[in-house]
Amino acid sequence: MPTIDPGTILPNLIFGVLAIAVGIPIMINRQSLFRATIRNLEAVNRGSSRAMSKLSSPFWVGAAGVAFIAIGLIMIASAVVGMVQLAA
């Protein structure tokens, strides 16, 4: 297993927790976030707003939330592995 640079442990912990903290509210509020996106796009261009609302769904907003959570978990796991390697 390659060694993890000790300089990346603290940033991985900080940004990993931040990614999880952002991903959970995205998952919970995906319906309202999707509606807000469509509403804001409608203010700019009505035609593209209708096209986007037909092609997209709140599922994809939730998928982005899951991606944030997964990235956060990977970053935290990397930080823990780095700490174990540093301690050994």
Side-chain angles (χ1 to χ4, degrees):
M1 179 195 286
T3 60
I4 295 176
D5 182 24
T8 64
I9 293 172
L10 188 59
N12 275 339
L13 277 175
I14 293 170
F15 290 115
V17 170
L18 261 166
I20 291 174
V22 167
I24 291 173
I26 288 175
M27 284 277 306
I28 293 170
N29 300 315
R30 65 185 176 270
Q31 294 279 359
S32 59
L33 285 171
F34 178 72
R35 284 193 305 265
T37 302
I38 297 299
R39 214 174 26 249
N40 288 339
L41 189 58
E42 189 173 293
V44 176
N45 188 349
R46 211 172 286 277
S48 64
S49 172
R50 273 181 264 154
M52 183 176 166
S53 66
K54 288 178 186 174
L55 295 174
S56 189
S57 70
F59 169 80
W60 295 110
V61 178
V66 169
F68 269 98
I69 293 169
I71 289 170
L73 290 174
I74 290 169
M75 291 177 79
I76 290 173
S78 174
V80 168
V81 169
M83 285 189 281
V84 169
Q85 287 178 351
L86 190 62

